[in-house]
Amino acid sequence: MSCRKLKRTGLSSNILEKLIRHNISTCKDLLSCSQLEVVKILSSGPATADEVFTKCSQSCSPRPITAYDLWKNRCEANDGFFATSLKDLDVVLHGGLPKGTISEIAGPSGCGKTQFSIMLSLLVTMPKSHGGLDGSVMYIDTEGAFSAERLVEMATNKFPDYFHDNSTTMSELTDRVHVNVIQTCNQLLERLKNLEEDIISKKIKLIVIDSIASLVRKEFSTTLGRNLTDRTNLLVQEAAILKYLAEVFSIPIVVTNQITTRFGNDNIQDEQTSSSGLEDESGYVTAALGNTWSHSVNTRLLLQYLTPVTRQVMVAKSPVAPFTTFTYTIESAGIIQQDGGAGHYEGTDPGKQQIKVRSALPFQVSQSSSLLS
Amino acid sequence: MQRELSTYPLGPSLKNKLIQSGFMLVDDVYHLKPSELSRETGLSLEDALEVIKTVTEKDGDPTDRQSKGPKTQSALEILQTEQNQPNIITFCQQIDDMLGGGVPLSKMTEFCGAPGIGKTQMCMQLCVDVQMPKCLGGVEGQAVYIDTEGSFIVERLVDIADATIQHCNFMLKQNQDDVGELKDFTLENVLKGIHYFRCHDYIELLANIQLLPDFLKEHKKVKLVVVDSVAFHFRHDFEDLSLRTRLLTAMAQNFINMATNYQLAIVLTNQMTTKVRSGAGSSGQSHLVPALGESWGHASTIRLILHWVGNVRYALLYKSPSRKEKDVPYQITVGGIRDLIHDEDEEMGADNNKPIKRQKIS
């Protein structure tokens, strides 16, 4: 909206002419000027300049709405949330991932981030009677991890009745999942910028980015300094676009994030560090991309290993939910919540929340080490 | 008045015409009627009027300076108004005490903090608290909520509002007052008293703030303006940092004007950013500081930093003109911001209001 041309703000033509002569053609240009500059350009007094400012502001300022109306609209529509099919998780999240915001799934490799994303994609395509959103999904894949085979497997196992011997529903499903393979940061930014057309024409009801971290971590080195600032800028820019899309189309956005090892003296859970052999004494594993990115996501779910079979999902940041954990397993039907193991934990800074990684390999390593010696 | 006309914010062509016709000082323009000025300088009538308005409004007539010039107040007067000025309580006794009774009106308060620490929760809590009835020490006002991040979840607001209303009802019953006074303090009215703006970029934010005084004129009851967060849009898309600083200072100035003109509290939230300590030996060492740079640090009158110490949330009073620097714990419950309680007995103690530490899940 801020790129709105001054022509459409109802300013008189001679003022407009003067502004355009000084390269001020949009509301953005004008509001970036100080009053004195505008006075000079218009060669008038400050009152006229104020009037110009007001007119211009009126055309691009958002309209107010009371929280009551907001709430009423949400209640009537009754679809402010997108259910994840993990029952208890949905309960604490007031019904699922909030639409119109960015949700992040972070966790160590192999913990089920992609599985989670694929399952959410499947759910979106399901008709409303099956708890879905009856829409399409835009799956932006940067790691090349999306597997159509897995999607089909999950579909047939999760909804056996619906997909049973029915090739039409299956082809409908596969038609509705649009996968985009993106390999550079620039491509991703470009893709996000022109996503709007696709959202409208393909009836997209969910955007998945798997993962937001891999490209930036590949292309930007993490030595602190200018490079890191650029990386942060890029991420915040992407976040701003995503937030805008989420809100305008009222769709949930899911991004996955990797983990990183953090070093520092501010380690708060040092009593636990010793339990995991993979961690350095002063380091701990936590979600990647840093503090500024953490500000940009509205909901953060952390995945971590408990035992070789069961894993845990933690609600680490949410505007609605308290810190809670649930256990789940990955099965052929997707992510399945396990009974028991749900509970609360003493939360801490989601940017520093420690994540348990797989601490031991499931097979004996002693043989290979004996070979080495 | 010896001030030169060229020092006023007038367009160059206006200034030229004035100078050419021999008008150099404010005195020359004084006591002239617009029509006379127009005749002498060849300016259009509208321009002449604007020149006179600009020149006279700024300084006032020297003879009646008393009425027009800036009014001075004695410290005693300020003390009295400050003491009468109600505060918006946060529902966390310790934070209230630290701030001297809560978030003050006519001042600008900034909450900085890491992601997920509860900045948005604090804002929502204040939006509800500002509407508490006067008989309970509230302000009985309304709130404007400017959301730049999209983290305003109305369901969460309903949770907080419900808990607050329950709490107030309980307090009244305990004091055996007439509950009738609370008739207006219902969920519906509380939600109606929060005006929500969503700004998608910094231009919308600037435009919004530009027009806010008009909105406040129409909605006289507004006693709290929340911007959550002021940082988000200013942290990307800015190649030109001096432009950013200028826009931020102008914005801060607008806020302060609003705060004093309408006796309302301005609450801003700010993000934290990582700063690398420079200097040999300590390279790679980083720490968190509030975003938007040093010069923005001057903008707000009161600054609180919300941070984690282990598993406990703490609020640190970082800058305040009148209170001591202090660090107090708080917690976020289903009902909103509360004191961190160790014992069961609590001052505000009530069964349904005992801070519920954990939400029950089925």
Short mmCIF file of all heavy atoms in Angstrom, two decimals, chain A residues 212-233:
data_model
loop_
_atom_site.label_atom_id
_atom_site.label_comp_id
_atom_site.label_asym_id
_atom_site.label_seq_id
_atom_site.Cartn_x
_atom_site.Cartn_y
_atom_site.Cartn_z
N ILE A 212 13.91 -23.11 5.94
CA ILE A 212 14.31 -21.71 5.79
C ILE A 212 15.80 -21.56 6.07
O ILE A 212 16.46 -20.65 5.60
CB ILE A 212 13.46 -20.83 6.74
CG1 ILE A 212 13.57 -19.35 6.42
CG2 ILE A 212 13.81 -21.06 8.20
CD1 ILE A 212 12.59 -18.85 5.44
N ALA A 213 16.34 -22.50 6.81
CA ALA A 213 17.72 -22.33 7.29
C ALA A 213 18.77 -22.80 6.29
O ALA A 213 19.85 -22.22 6.20
CB ALA A 213 17.89 -23.08 8.60
N SER A 214 18.47 -23.85 5.53
CA SER A 214 19.55 -24.51 4.79
C SER A 214 20.23 -23.56 3.80
O SER A 214 21.44 -23.54 3.70
CB SER A 214 19.00 -25.73 4.07
OG SER A 214 18.11 -25.33 3.07
N LEU A 215 19.44 -22.75 3.08
CA LEU A 215 20.05 -21.89 2.07
C LEU A 215 20.90 -20.79 2.70
O LEU A 215 22.04 -20.59 2.28
CB LEU A 215 18.97 -21.26 1.19
CG LEU A 215 18.18 -22.23 0.34
CD1 LEU A 215 17.14 -21.49 -0.47
CD2 LEU A 215 19.10 -23.00 -0.57
N VAL A 216 20.35 -20.12 3.68
CA VAL A 216 21.14 -19.03 4.25
C VAL A 216 22.37 -19.55 4.96
O VAL A 216 23.40 -18.90 4.97
CB VAL A 216 20.32 -18.14 5.20
CG1 VAL A 216 19.35 -17.29 4.44
CG2 VAL A 216 19.63 -18.93 6.26
N ARG A 217 22.25 -20.73 5.53
CA ARG A 217 23.42 -21.24 6.23
C ARG A 217 24.49 -21.70 5.25
O ARG A 217 25.66 -21.78 5.59
CB ARG A 217 23.02 -22.38 7.15
CG ARG A 217 22.15 -21.91 8.28
CD ARG A 217 21.84 -23.02 9.22
NE ARG A 217 22.83 -23.12 10.28
CZ ARG A 217 22.85 -24.12 11.14
NH1 ARG A 217 21.98 -25.10 11.04
NH2 ARG A 217 23.75 -24.16 12.08
N LYS A 218 24.05 -22.02 4.04
CA LYS A 218 25.02 -22.42 3.03
C LYS A 218 25.71 -21.20 2.45
O LYS A 218 26.92 -21.20 2.22
CB LYS A 218 24.29 -23.20 1.93
CG LYS A 218 25.19 -23.93 0.97
CD LYS A 218 24.37 -24.85 0.08
CE LYS A 218 23.58 -24.06 -0.94
NZ LYS A 218 22.63 -24.88 -1.70
N GLU A 219 24.94 -20.16 2.21
CA GLU A 219 25.48 -19.04 1.44
C GLU A 219 26.15 -17.96 2.28
O GLU A 219 26.92 -17.17 1.78
CB GLU A 219 24.37 -18.41 0.60
CG GLU A 219 23.98 -19.31 -0.55
CD GLU A 219 22.87 -18.71 -1.40
OE1 GLU A 219 22.81 -17.48 -1.51
OE2 GLU A 219 22.09 -19.49 -1.95
N PHE A 220 25.77 -17.89 3.56
CA PHE A 220 26.40 -16.86 4.38
C PHE A 220 27.29 -17.54 5.40
O PHE A 220 26.85 -18.44 6.10
CB PHE A 220 25.35 -16.05 5.13
CG PHE A 220 24.49 -15.22 4.23
CD1 PHE A 220 23.36 -15.74 3.66
CD2 PHE A 220 24.83 -13.90 3.96
CE1 PHE A 220 22.57 -14.97 2.83
CE2 PHE A 220 24.04 -13.13 3.13
CZ PHE A 220 22.90 -13.66 2.56
N SER A 221 28.52 -17.11 5.46
CA SER A 221 29.36 -17.70 6.49
C SER A 221 28.99 -17.06 7.82
O SER A 221 28.49 -15.95 7.89
CB SER A 221 30.84 -17.45 6.19
OG SER A 221 31.27 -16.30 6.84
N THR A 222 29.21 -17.78 8.89
CA THR A 222 28.70 -17.29 10.17
C THR A 222 29.71 -16.51 10.98
O THR A 222 29.45 -16.17 12.12
CB THR A 222 28.22 -18.47 11.04
OG1 THR A 222 29.24 -19.46 11.01
CG2 THR A 222 26.92 -19.03 10.55
N THR A 223 30.85 -16.21 10.36
CA THR A 223 31.76 -15.36 11.12
C THR A 223 31.07 -14.04 11.32
O THR A 223 30.51 -13.47 10.39
CB THR A 223 33.06 -15.14 10.33
OG1 THR A 223 32.72 -14.83 8.99
CG2 THR A 223 33.94 -16.36 10.38
N LEU A 224 31.07 -13.56 12.51
CA LEU A 224 30.30 -12.38 12.84
C LEU A 224 30.79 -11.19 12.05
O LEU A 224 31.94 -11.11 11.66
CB LEU A 224 30.41 -12.10 14.35
CG LEU A 224 29.73 -13.14 15.21
CD1 LEU A 224 30.19 -13.01 16.63
CD2 LEU A 224 28.24 -12.99 15.13
N GLY A 225 29.90 -10.26 11.83
CA GLY A 225 30.28 -9.06 11.11
C GLY A 225 29.26 -8.74 10.06
O GLY A 225 28.10 -9.09 10.18
N ARG A 226 29.69 -8.10 9.03
CA ARG A 226 28.83 -7.60 7.98
C ARG A 226 27.98 -8.73 7.37
O ARG A 226 26.80 -8.57 7.09
CB ARG A 226 29.71 -6.96 6.90
CG ARG A 226 28.98 -6.31 5.77
CD ARG A 226 28.28 -5.04 6.22
NE ARG A 226 27.09 -4.85 5.42
CZ ARG A 226 26.04 -4.12 5.79
NH1 ARG A 226 26.04 -3.54 6.94
NH2 ARG A 226 25.01 -3.98 4.99
N ASN A 227 28.65 -9.87 7.20
CA ASN A 227 27.99 -11.01 6.59
C ASN A 227 26.74 -11.42 7.35
O ASN A 227 25.70 -11.71 6.78
CB ASN A 227 28.99 -12.16 6.60
CG ASN A 227 28.89 -12.97 5.36
OD1 ASN A 227 27.82 -13.02 4.76
ND2 ASN A 227 29.97 -13.59 4.97
N LEU A 228 26.87 -11.41 8.65
CA LEU A 228 25.78 -11.85 9.50
C LEU A 228 24.64 -10.83 9.46
O LEU A 228 23.46 -11.19 9.47
CB LEU A 228 26.29 -12.01 10.93
CG LEU A 228 25.42 -12.89 11.81
CD1 LEU A 228 25.44 -14.31 11.30
CD2 LEU A 228 25.90 -12.84 13.23
N THR A 229 25.00 -9.56 9.36
CA THR A 229 23.97 -8.52 9.26
C THR A 229 23.16 -8.71 7.99
O THR A 229 21.94 -8.61 8.00
CB THR A 229 24.64 -7.13 9.25
OG1 THR A 229 25.78 -7.17 10.08
CG2 THR A 229 23.68 -6.09 9.73
N ASP A 230 23.86 -9.01 6.90
CA ASP A 230 23.17 -9.25 5.63
C ASP A 230 22.22 -10.42 5.75
O ASP A 230 21.09 -10.38 5.27
CB ASP A 230 24.19 -9.53 4.52
CG ASP A 230 24.93 -8.29 4.10
OD1 ASP A 230 24.46 -7.19 4.48
OD2 ASP A 230 25.96 -8.40 3.43
N ARG A 231 22.69 -11.46 6.41
CA ARG A 231 21.87 -12.64 6.56
C ARG A 231 20.60 -12.31 7.35
O ARG A 231 19.50 -12.67 6.96
CB ARG A 231 22.66 -13.73 7.30
CG ARG A 231 21.95 -15.05 7.34
CD ARG A 231 22.72 -16.07 8.12
NE ARG A 231 22.34 -16.06 9.52
CZ ARG A 231 22.65 -17.04 10.37
NH1 ARG A 231 23.36 -18.06 9.97
NH2 ARG A 231 22.27 -16.96 11.62
N THR A 232 20.79 -11.57 8.44
CA THR A 232 19.65 -11.19 9.26
C THR A 232 18.67 -10.35 8.45
O THR A 232 17.46 -10.56 8.50
CB THR A 232 20.12 -10.41 10.50
OG1 THR A 232 21.18 -11.14 11.08
CG2 THR A 232 19.01 -10.25 11.48
N ASN A 233 19.21 -9.40 7.69
CA ASN A 233 18.34 -8.54 6.88
C ASN A 233 17.51 -9.37 5.92
O ASN A 233 16.31 -9.15 5.76
CB ASN A 233 19.18 -7.54 6.08
CG ASN A 233 19.59 -6.38 6.94
OD1 ASN A 233 19.03 -6.18 8.02
ND2 ASN A 233 20.56 -5.63 6.49
#
